[in-house]
Amino acid sequence: KGERFMKTFMKTFMKTMIMFKNTKILRPISLILAILVLFQFTAHVNVQAKDFPDVSRDHWAYDAINTLSNKGIISGDGNGNFRPNDTIAVDEFIKLMVTAMGHNLSVGTDYWATPFINKALQLGLFPDGEFNDYRRPITRLEIARLVSRAMSNEQFPVDIEVHSWQLKDFYEQALWERDYISRVFLKGIVVGLPDGTFGPDRNASRAEAAVMVHRYIDPSKRIPAQDKVPEGIVFKPVTDYQMATIYEWDPTQPGYYWHIDLAAKHFTFF
């Protein structure tokens, strides 16, 4: 509506300029019209930058939520609220990622998320069958998977887990999941929870999802993992049998990596 108004207004403005050409009244009329144009432009910008009433300016995710809203990547509910502490469904987050990657799609007819899911599959954000329910809340680990795959063109060090030990629950995760966690932690998409854990099985909130997507599209907002010198190391006793198993286990045999983990757990950073 604002764009149509501006076009009509400018046509009227030009006609008026021609009508009063070479007359003394031209200058005041031009000034008045210029003020009206500025007012309309400012009003239009304010509409675009409207805040959500339930997200205060001092909210930790305000910048991310407001930015994504202005870009048309996220929206609120029917009442104009964002509900930052609510969980976000798998299909909702898939839509966020696909839209953030520059794909503006229309909703599906039978199921609104079908076009976004199909595009995400095409983009390689997840393999077919990874999700058996798109309407349930998405977890932090599942977000890590999607965002990690979206960063396939970014450069990573050979030792992808160089800083991951800083997450207290990192070595409790399955080996195949650690790569996803390490990538988003190393790049600063995720910085961990206040208790120092990653919390992979915890359902992500809408605010958390917004911050992760914001950091994905804007690297300047990321908080990359930094070198951290542990304050001390506590060595745990190892039996002769465990040590022999660690050093003599055949890497080609099942269970090898479990024993590498066993070795890693003989010391603890705190």
Side-chain angles (χ1 to χ4, degrees):
K1 291 181 180 179
E3 185 177 352
R4 289 198 301 270
F5 177 86
M6 287 296 293
K7 289 181 179 179
T8 303
F9 192 88
M10 289 306 297
K11 288 181 180 179
T12 304
F13 177 80
M14 294 307 297
K15 289 180 181 179
T16 304
M17 293 287 286
I18 294 172
M19 183 183 303
F20 292 99
K21 184 179 181 181
N22 299 324
T23 66
K24 293 182 178 180
I25 199 173
L26 176 61
R27 179 173 294 180
I29 288 179
S30 299
L31 180 60
I32 293 172
L33 291 177
I35 292 173
L36 290 174
V37 169
L38 179 62
F39 175 79
Q40 170 60 24
F41 176 77
T42 304
H44 182 64
V45 170
N46 287 339
V47 169
Q48 294 297 317
K50 180 180 179 181
D51 293 341
F52 293 105
D54 59 341
V55 182
S56 62
R57 289 181 177 272
D58 59 355
H59 189 281
W60 69 274
Y62 171 81
D63 184 42
I65 294 171
N66 204 43
T67 299
L68 295 187
S69 175
N70 291 337
K71 289 180 177 294
I73 297 175
I74 58 173
S75 59
D77 59 17
N79 297 319
N81 294 314
F82 183 73
R83 308 195 317 274
N85 297 323
D86 285 8
T87 58
I88 180 169
V90 174
D91 53 11
E92 292 174 327
F93 188 78
I94 289 174
K95 177 181 181 294
L96 288 188
M97 283 300 299
V98 169
T99 306
M101 295 174 76
H103 304 281
N104 297 313
L105 308 176
S106 300
V107 297
T109 52
D110 297 329
Y111 173 35
W112 72 268
T114 297
F116 301 96
I117 292 171
N118 290 338
K119 176 57 72 172
L121 289 168
Q122 180 184 341
L123 294 171
L125 295 186
F126 62 92
D128 191 15
E130 181 164 294
F131 297 104
N132 56 13
D133 183 0
Y134 292 102
R135 295 179 173 87
R136 66 166 174 78
I138 193 169
T139 66
R140 288 168 55 85
L141 176 58
E142 289 167 336
I143 287 181
R145 287 187 210 150
L146 294 176
V147 176
S148 175
R149 290 165 182 154
M151 297 192 298
S152 59
N153 293 327
E154 297 195 22
Q155 298 296 317
F156 291 89
V158 175
D159 184 6
I160 192 69
E161 298 183 4
V162 62
H163 299 301
S164 301
W165 62 267
Q166 297 176 29
L167 297 169
K168 294 179 179 179
D169 56 349
F170 179 74
Y171 289 106
E172 298 174 10
Q173 313 313 315
L175 283 168
W176 68 280
E177 299 286 19
R178 294 180 192 173
D179 186 68
Y180 300 121
I181 297 173
S182 294
R183 286 172 178 269
V184 295
F185 181 66
L186 183 68
K187 288 291 185 176
I189 304 295
V190 175
V191 296
L193 298 172
D195 63 358
T197 64
F198 178 76
D201 299 323
R202 203 185 84 168
N203 292 333
S205 69
R206 288 168 57 83
E208 289 174 327
V211 169
M212 292 179 202
V213 173
H214 188 212
R215 290 173 179 166
Y216 163 70
I217 64 174
D218 186 354
S220 70
K221 300 298 181 181
R222 299 179 185 180
I223 308 176
Q226 302 293 325
D227 288 332
K228 181 179 179 181
V229 179
E231 296 178 1
I233 300 177
V234 176
F235 288 91
K236 299 179 181 179
V238 183
T239 66
D240 292 340
Y241 171 76
Q242 288 174 324
M243 188 62 70
T245 304
I246 291 168
Y247 283 100
E248 295 179 6
W249 195 268
D250 184 351
T252 64
Q253 298 299 313
Y256 168 72
Y257 290 106
W258 183 85
H259 286 278
I260 292 299
D261 284 346
L262 179 63
K265 290 178 179 177
H266 292 319
F267 59 89
T268 303
F269 295 103
F270 64 90

